[in-house]
Structures are given as C-alpha cells and as structure tokens.
Amino acid sequence: MMADVLITGGHAGLGLEAATKLASEWHVNLVLAGRDMNKVETAAQQLGQRYGVRVTPLSLDLASLESVRAAAATFRDMLAKGKVEPLQALVCNAGVQSLRGPVSYSSDGYEETFAVNHLGHFLLVDLLLDSVADGGRVVFTSSGTHDPETMDGKSVGAAVEPDAVALANEGKNGKKSISGGKRYSTSKLLNILFSYELDRRLRRAHQPVASIAFDPGFIPETCLSKSAPKVARWLIRTALLKWVSKKLGVTMGSLPFSGAALARIAMDPAFANASGKYFQSKTGL
Ligand SMILES: NC(=O)c1ccc[n+]([C@@H]2O[C@H](COP(=O)([O-])OP(=O)(O)OC[C@H]3O[C@@H](n4cnc5c(N)ncnc54)[C@H](OP(=O)(O)O)[C@@H]3O)[C@@H](O)[C@H]2O)c1
C-alpha cells in the first residue's frame, strides 16, 4: 500500500536531512509541515523535483493550537480527496530552544518551548492518530537532554518535574522563570513520556501503530541554538568543542547519521515492533 510520511520541521536542519533520506532512499511521498510557507514550499519543490516523489506542503504553527487544528483538518480533507495517503509515519520533529532573552509565549499564552515542543505535537498526534496506517508509526524527536543524570542533561540544564500547568505558565505573574535550557530539556522529557504513554494506550486498544522516541544526539550545525550568543554559536560548531563534548560524554550526532536514523525509524520494517522504545543516535541503531 502507498503511504505518506508527515514530518514537522521537515524543511530545515535534522528534519530536512531525514526528509531527504525518506525521499531519496525510501522513495516515500512526504507531507512537510511548518509555519513559514516560503521555506516549506521551497523545500517541498526541491525534494519533489530531485527525487520524483510527491511532497505536499502543510501550514502548521505549533505555537498556535488553532493552527494545529487547521493543519489536521487540511490533512484529513486531503486524505478524503485522495491527495495524500494514510500515514506510514507521523514524525514530530520540529522544536525550539530559547537560551536567552525574555520568555516567549504561544498565541494561546503558554510558554513557547512547552507549547511548540510538546503541546502542539500532543494535539497534532491526537487529531491525526486515526490517519496513521496499520503498521505505521508515531515518532518523536526527543533529546538526551531529558535525562538530568547524564552529561546531555547537565549540558543544557537539568529537566524539572514535568508539571504541565507550571511549565505552561513559567515566568508569569512576576515570577522568575526556570532557565531556557531547563525549559528545553523538560519539553524533551515530555516528548518521551508522551511517547511511552501513547504506546501503552495503543497496546491496550490493540491498535497496530508504534510509538517511538529518538535522540539524534548533539548536532551543532542545525539552527536549534540560534538564540545563543553569536560567539557561543560559533564555538559550538568548532571541531575542538565537538571533541571536548564527546570526551565529556555528550551523545554526539551528525546530520547525515541522525537524519538517516530518523528516516529508518519511520520506515524500516526492523522498527515495526519497537513501540515504547527510545533510541539514541549512538546506540541500537
Ligand atoms: N541539534 C541538536 O543538537 C539536537 C539535539 C537533540 C535533539 N534535537 C531535536 O531535533 C529536532 C530538530 O531540531 P534541529 O536541530 O533540526 O533544529 P532547527 O534546524 O532549528 O529545526 C527546527 C525546526 O522546527 C521548526 N519549528 C520551530 N518552531 C516551530 C513552530 N512554532 N511551528 C512549526 N515548526 C516550528 C523550524 O521551522 P522554522 O524554519 O520556521 O524555524 C525548523 O524546521 C528538535 O525537536 C530538537 O529538539 C536537536
């Protein structure tokens, strides 16, 4: 059966690398979901032309629950009209990290990191789960930073107690927010907790869909750290810092390796029974 893969943030960074592998090696049709339609349409056109697959752009701003609802409705409409196929994978990959400056909030008034990385994806999965084909997967790009016991977790700021109400309201009413690093690592912990709970519910409902979490490892080349000071951004891309990070025990990834791994988790039959599992770029892949 033909199927599509929907990937959030598939026009940039790790998502684009995975989308490229999905198109070039797995020859699957794609739905690229993102908030900047110029960027999304450009990437969709290039991937479609280069690899001869159908790539459908989908407008989605994860910082707006209304936009998530509209994106899900558009996808379902396209599905009903036969413009796209049921999903082989719904890849929740987009993410933000806000390392300095004032705390930002989504259009619904929730702290942005929590809203984009967790809440928007949570709603998207809820609305599109029945569009995932039997044997398909929901995949979450999480991060090793979720674990405060590891070097990954310590490097950006240890995840805090995942209290949704507190996280949504960080920095409000004159209260000092936890750091942007902690907000990020906690949102990545939420990705994993959601992935595990989704697996539990899918198994209980005997639904043949897998829920899998993935840590791509540290990839300094993407735009994730764009909120960091310029010097820090330059520093983290140097070979020396990568070497030091590795020596210190940070889980290292790379665009080619981690992008290919994400594509495999979405497509490879070897991962069909991997529901409820968490894979890191350095192990088990
Ligand atoms: N890079 C790393 O070291 C690393 C390590 C572990 C995990 N990760 C995870 O990997 C995933 C991909 O990140 P990346 O490293 O590839 O960073 P990136 O280059 O900054 O890509 C992030 C993607 O998310 C999209 N996005 C941001 N806010 C959005 C919103 N409100 N609505 C819809 N899309 C939005 C961005 O779109 P725009 O172009 O519109 O901004 C972009 O496509 C993230 O979940 C991140 O947490 C990355």
Side-chain angles (χ1 to χ4, degrees):
M1 189 185 74
M2 290 290 290
D4 282 41
V5 169
L6 188 159
I7 177 164
T8 66
H11 64 276
L14 174 72
L16 177 59
E17 195 73 18
T20 305
K21 287 281 177 208
L22 287 163
S24 62
E25 290 182 14
W26 294 94
H27 312 293
V28 70
N29 294 325
L30 298 171
V31 179
L32 298 190
R35 59 184 166 170
D36 181 333
M37 286 315 274
N38 279 339
K39 290 191 209 167
V40 176
E41 277 164 8
T42 305
Q45 220 164 35
Q46 286 174 356
L47 287 170
Q49 267 165 14
R50 247 174 240 164
Y51 304 111
V53 294
R54 168 172 44 71
V55 187
T56 309
L58 180 66
S59 175
L60 167 75
D61 181 357
L62 289 158
S64 155
L65 297 178
E66 193 187 334
S67 171
V68 176
R69 287 200 177 89
T74 305
F75 180 84
R76 295 174 80 98
D77 186 51
M78 292 191 296
L79 191 58
K81 291 179 175 146
K83 293 181 179 170
V84 294
E85 303 291 330
L87 294 170
Q88 156 63 26
L90 171 51
V91 184
C92 299
N93 166 78
V96 287
Q97 189 180 61
S98 175
L99 294 178
R100 62 176 183 156
V103 181
S104 310
Y105 297 92
S106 71
S107 51
D108 306 288
Y110 305 127
E111 192 283 314
E112 189 191 19
T113 324
F114 170 78
V116 172
N117 296 4
H118 171 63
L119 199 58
H121 278 130
F122 180 91
L123 181 61
L124 187 71
V125 172
D126 190 45
L127 296 172
L128 290 184
L129 193 57
D130 61 0
S131 303
V132 179
D134 284 358
R137 297 144 204 194
V138 181
V139 181
F140 298 89
T141 305
S142 178
S143 164
T145 58
H146 79 277
D147 184 350
E149 300 290 308
T150 63
M151 209 43 217
D152 300 330
K154 292 185 174 84
S155 66
V156 57
V160 300
E161 183 65 26
D163 172 336
V165 174
L167 290 166
N169 292 300
E170 274 301 330
K172 283 189 185 167
N173 303 325
K175 278 200 191 145
K176 195 173 178 298
S177 168
I178 54 170
S179 72
K182 283 174 185 276
R183 298 199 299 274
Y184 175 77
S185 46
T186 309
S187 75
K188 296 284 116 182
L189 174 60
L190 291 171
N191 289 155
I192 296 186
L193 294 177
F194 179 30
S195 173
Y196 288 167
E197 179 60 17
L198 182 62
D199 164 65
R200 207 176 63 82
R201 293 183 187 214
L202 287 164
R203 301 291 68 79
R204 202 170 56 191
H206 305 291
Q207 239 175 295
V209 170
S211 171
I212 305 173
F214 170 59
D215 165 30
F218 180 37
I219 314 169
E221 289 79 12
T222 74
C223 293
L224 192 67
S225 58
K226 62 178 178 245
S227 65
K230 230 176 177 177
V231 181
R233 258 167 35 225
W234 171 80
L235 192 69
I236 62 171
R237 290 177 187 200
T238 59
L240 177 66
L241 201 97
K242 282 188 201 168
W243 182 82
V244 171
S245 303
K246 197 171 172 184
K247 282 275 166 220
L248 288 174
V250 170
T251 306
M252 300 304 289
S254 75
L255 276 174
F257 181 84
S258 309
L262 182 54
R264 280 184 53 220
I265 291 174
M267 293 303 297
D268 194 330
F271 290 90
N273 295 319
S275 193
K277 295 220 163 83
Y278 163 69
F279 295 94
Q280 276 201 301
S281 79
K282 66 178 174 188
T283 53
L285 283 162

